[in-house]
Amino acid sequence: MRLTRVPGLLFGGDYNPEQWPEEVWAEDAKLMVEAGVNMATVAVFSWSRLEPRPGEYDFGWLDRVLDLLHEHGIAADLATATATPPPWLVREHPETMPVDAHGTRLEFGSRQGYCPSSPIFRAATVRLARAMAERYGNHPALAMWHIGNEYADHTLECFCDESARHFRRWLTDRYADIDGLNAAWGTSCWGQHYTDFGQINPPRVAPGPINPAQVLDWRRFCSDALLECFEAEKVVLREVTPDIPVTTNFMSILHGLDYWKWAAAEDFVSDDAYPDPADPTSHTGIALSYDLMRSLKRRPWLLLEQAPSAVSWREVNVPKPPGKMRLDSLQALAHGADGVMFFQWRQAHYGPEKFHSALLPHGGVQTRGWQDTLRLGGDLGKLAEIAGTHGRADVALVLDWDSWWGLEAPESMPTKRLALLRLMRTWYEPLHALGITVDLTPPDRDLSDYRLVIAPNLYLCTEESAANLSAYPGELVVGSFSGVVDAADRIHPGGAPGPLRELLGLSVDEFWPLADGVEQSVRYADGTTGTATRWAEWIRTEGAAGIAEYADGDLAGQPAITRLGRATYVGCALEDVTPVLTDALTRAGVRPVADLPPGVEAGLRTGPDADYLFLLNHGTTTAALTLRAPGTDLLTGRDLHGSIEIGPRDAVVLRTAHEGEK
């Protein structure tokens, strides 16, 4: 499925012509053509320029920009410009600015300065979105709509009185009556019984720990409140321009927003990704987020922002070494992206992002950065045929935002050392190193396409999710501290693993969190040992067989890992899950797409006429490997077979016959 009507892979970046004299615009268009750019993101932060006074629009400059782009064959990712309200709106209505948990109203002067629940702010965004749609709905440059920008980056929540009223309405819709809320929140604890919804406020700063059920609902509400802002604009765009696809840019695996819900509201998924060049393992973490983007709608997605080199907001902003900009872009394509865009096209001369890199750096066309831009544009032209192809995974990792929010609640947990993303990466990293394609999935989605499903943690597990996992016919691995609470954060009757008890054949007698620096040795049936840190459990088997036990300490001799039929339970936080994973992959009959040396990543996309195997060397030395089947490297045109070498920070994109045709 194609993201837009633009042929080939999308390439370009955020373009801010309002920051430059108009005579520069023609040079920009000329250089975009030279670089192979076919799309520009326009007007993201232009509200104050487009509507300088209430209801008074100045579209002339944007008319000329879009006309210029179209004349040069460049499509527009046109933003509704609602990412940051203009000063006049804030000064006329200061109540539209967000309030923090301490009750302090924040000041204008940055971006995303708005209360998501403000009816004044929402009405203003809808008016502007309508004006933009009516003005540009038939413009030939328009390829897609871009609503807002990086929702929840600076403003995830607001604790003002308007937000409180909105929260109460949300709670009323969820629970119908106050008795339902009291039952769900367990308000008989600590004397919090409510007699009216009007008595409920957001979880502002309080004398002590706040009810975790209230905090969980607040997390859900904040995600939903921002989604309402997005959908209010989408309704207008769909009414005026029903054939133009709509998106907003996600921020990789973001804690604050339930991207399963958000993706369902988009026409296609787009993402912003900023892996740290100073971290030699960053390509693994970003691969996990790319796999989420592909999995959200199970179709191609768009990398809407990345940095050509250094960013401007880290403590130390390390530039990307030669070859890494290209390699990072090819990595996104390997994980299912149908285009790679950047922030930004021309490097700014002022403002908070003046040191953020760009496709066209401060030094112009004489720079290393510009040569990298030209090279990438040429490569993307060579890879045009992969647009619309897809990846296929035999393995899935379970990710549920409700469970994540519950697990990392600020209070009332046995330990604060179980961070979900760390648990996810513990399982993902060895899969990634093996070259095994991984999807992410919510626990209630159809799992029948997968041979192996891994739930690193499912702290919050509903009866419906447990039934779905129980009905799944493939190999299943469930991580520790799962099945603990229901959707209202209440302990399941009988304790963990709650509704997973029959499936796993065990119960957890007692949680056994490990203090910092404490290690728990785990001994497998073959005599080898592993190490658990941060977490362990005293397990009582009820039909399951122990396949590893604790080798020392107070838990010595107790089962640490169990299996019942096709379901494995890992009752501790292993530092290295390789023995468990290797066994599960073997039992599931899953094999890698390629045999990979260390530092080399593989990704496979399938089209109607061919497969496309990406081999990416993230290392700083040449890597050697043996191809399973011959093919043609689209980047060089060479026919390859047998043993090949891939240079440091280089790649091969191999077109091969379909698996069944080899």
Side-chain angles (χ1 to χ4, degrees):
M1 177 176 291
R2 307 234 4 118
L3 301 183
T4 72
R5 291 169 288 188
V6 180
L9 298 170
L10 300 177
F11 175 47
D14 277 49
Y15 182 37
N16 302 296
E18 64 269 39
Q19 296 180 12
W20 301 93
E22 193 158 344
E23 56 266 24
V24 175
W25 300 356
E27 179 188 9
D28 284 327
K30 171 179 170 294
L31 292 175
M32 287 180 187
V33 172
E34 182 180 342
V37 166
N38 58 11
M39 178 173 282
T41 299
V42 185
V44 173
F45 296 110
S46 299
W47 190 345
S48 60
R49 292 293 301 273
L50 292 169
E51 189 180 8
R53 283 163 290 279
E56 181 181 317
Y57 298 108
D58 178 10
F59 289 121
W61 67 273
L62 186 54
D63 292 347
R64 296 190 294 277
V65 169
L66 293 179
D67 290 347
L68 181 67
L69 292 175
H70 178 64
E71 289 167 10
H72 287 79
I74 300 164
D77 163 29
L78 184 56
T80 56
T82 54
T84 295
W88 59 259
L89 180 61
V90 172
R91 294 305 176 223
E92 288 187 9
H93 299 283
E95 69 273 23
T96 61
M97 289 296 287
V99 172
D100 67 18
H102 294 268
T104 301
R105 190 173 297 279
L106 305 184
E107 180 51 83
F108 182 82
S110 184
R111 61 180 186 174
Q112 280 194 1
Y114 55 80
C115 164
S117 298
S118 167
I120 295 171
F121 169 73
R122 290 192 182 191
T125 63
V126 169
R127 285 195 303 270
L128 180 58
R130 181 173 294 279
M132 294 284 282
E134 291 176 347
R135 181 79 174 192
Y136 298 113
N138 293 317
H139 196 287
L142 178 62
M144 54 185 271
W145 285 113
H146 177 126
I147 297 177
N149 188 71
E150 295 184 335
Y151 280 101
D153 180 18
H154 300 293
T155 299
L156 167 63
E157 55 193 357
C158 174
F159 295 84
C160 73
D161 290 342
E162 187 61 57
S163 295
R165 287 188 286 271
H166 189 193
F167 185 39
R168 294 176 200 127
R169 293 193 300 272
W170 185 92
L171 292 170
T172 302
D173 290 341
R174 183 174 179 84
Y175 296 110
D177 57 48
I178 199 66
D179 291 338
L181 179 139
N182 281 315
W185 283 13
T187 56
S188 57
C189 180
W190 282 14
Q192 296 179 7
H193 185 81
Y194 297 101
T195 57
D196 188 271
F197 282 102
Q199 298 163 0
I200 301 171
N201 274 329
R204 297 165 177 157
V205 175
I210 296 173
N211 186 336
Q214 180 180 1
V215 174
L216 175 58
D217 269 344
W218 177 251
R219 295 269 66 85
R220 291 166 170 150
F221 162 76
C222 290
S223 178
D224 286 355
L226 281 169
L227 182 56
E228 288 176 17
C229 294
F230 170 84
E231 291 186 312
E233 293 188 48
K234 188 185 79 169
V235 166
V236 171
L237 299 178
R238 185 70 78 240
E239 174 190 336
V240 181
T241 58
D243 298 326
I244 303 298
V246 176
T247 191
T248 189
N249 43 340
F250 290 167
M251 298 181 65
S252 299
I253 306 182
L254 185 69
H255 177 264
L257 302 182
D258 183 345
Y259 279 160
W260 298 115
K261 261 191 173 183
W262 278 71
E266 294 185 304
D267 292 322
F268 65 90
V269 169
S270 58
D271 186 39
D272 293 356
Y274 291 96
D276 188 353
D279 177 4
T281 68
S282 64
H283 64 280
T284 303
I286 209 65
L288 174 60
S289 69
Y290 289 163
D291 284 342
L292 171 63
M293 297 304 134
R294 185 192 64 246
S295 303
L296 285 170
K297 293 183 85 71
R298 291 184 172 179
R299 64 181 69 162
W301 56 281
L302 174 61
L303 180 55
L304 200 51
E305 281 189 30
Q306 61 175 323
S309 189
V311 298
S312 59
W313 39 265
R314 290 192 176 101
E315 194 70 22
V316 178
N317 296 303
V318 174
K320 292 185 177 182
K324 184 150 178 61
M325 168 195 174
R326 172 179 181 261
L327 190 65
D328 286 352
S329 299
L330 294 176
Q331 183 186 24
L333 300 180
H335 289 265
D338 262 7
V340 289
M341 307 277 284
F342 291 82
F343 184 86
Q344 49 194 325
W345 161 253
R346 181 183 282 271
Q347 196 166 13
H349 278 187
Y350 48 77
E353 293 177 311
K354 61 182 177 292
F355 293 117
H356 195 294
S357 58
L359 292 171
L360 180 60
H362 287 145
V365 297
Q366 305 303 317
T367 58
R368 173 182 76 92
W370 178 246
Q371 296 308 308
D372 287 346
T373 298
L374 294 177
R375 184 187 185 192
L376 179 59
D379 283 340
L380 294 175
K382 298 172 185 176
L383 300 177
E385 67 185 76
I386 74 167
T389 62
H390 58 86
R392 180 186 169 279
D394 289 326
V395 178
L397 291 180
V398 174
L399 171 61
D400 179 67
W401 261 265
D402 278 359
S403 185
W404 187 2
W405 291 330
L407 176 69
E408 297 185 13
E411 309 286 352
S412 308
M413 298 297 283
T415 180
K416 296 179 175 60
R417 299 292 187 263
L418 291 180
L420 182 67
L421 287 186
R422 178 174 177 179
L423 296 172
M424 295 280 290
R425 284 193 62 163
T426 298
W427 292 94
Y428 182 80
E429 286 173 0
L431 289 164
H432 180 259
L434 286 170
I436 293 174
T437 304
V438 178
D439 277 354
L440 281 76
T441 180
D444 54 357
R445 180 183 274 182
D446 178 17
L447 304 174
S448 59
D449 288 343
Y450 304 110
R451 297 183 179 183
L452 170 63
V453 171
I454 302 169
N457 174 269
L458 205 54
Y459 164 74
L460 186 157
C461 184
T462 64
E463 296 284 351
E464 293 77 14
S465 293
N468 192 50
L469 292 172
S470 297
Y472 165 63
E475 285 293 314
L476 175 69
V477 177
V478 178
S480 58
F481 203 41
S482 290
V484 181
V485 300
D486 65 10
D489 202 43
R490 295 172 299 196
I491 298 293
H492 282 295
L500 298 171
R501 186 170 180 169
E502 183 176 345
L503 170 65
L504 300 175
L506 60 87
S507 62
V508 177
D509 191 287
E510 192 170 4
F511 300 131
W512 213 274
L514 304 176
D516 291 349
V518 174
E519 295 184 348
Q520 178 69 63
S521 181
V522 174
R523 182 171 51 242
Y524 294 93
D526 63 1
T528 60
T529 60
T531 301
T533 61
R534 297 171 289 130
W535 188 262
E537 293 172 355
W538 189 300
I539 292 173
R540 183 172 61 251
T541 57
E542 300 172 352
I547 59 175
E549 64 179 25
Y550 296 110
D552 54 20
D554 294 327
L555 294 174
Q558 294 295 324
I561 304 171
T562 65
R563 182 184 299 128
L564 177 62
R566 58 183 178 76
T568 299
Y569 182 69
V570 182
C572 53
L574 291 171
E575 288 295 283
D576 181 6
V577 300
T578 301
V580 182
L581 185 60
T582 300
D583 179 62
L585 291 170
T586 301
R587 290 165 63 88
V590 176
R591 64 193 294 255
V593 298
D595 300 314
L596 303 177
V600 175
E601 175 180 11
L604 183 67
R605 297 180 64 155
T606 298
D609 303 313
D611 291 336
Y612 301 91
L613 177 63
F614 286 73
L615 297 169
L616 314 170
N617 182 8
H618 294 280
T620 56
T621 58
T622 297
L625 68 156
T626 301
L627 299 176
R628 292 179 180 172
T632 300
D633 178 14
L634 297 181
L635 296 172
T636 63
R638 295 180 301 159
D639 292 329
L640 300 178
H641 60 88
S643 298
I644 65 167
E645 291 187 341
I646 306 175
R649 300 194 188 101
D650 203 354
V652 166
V653 181
L654 203 67
R655 184 208 290 125
T656 68
H658 284 312
E659 185 71 31
E661 301 170 0
K662 295 173 184 176

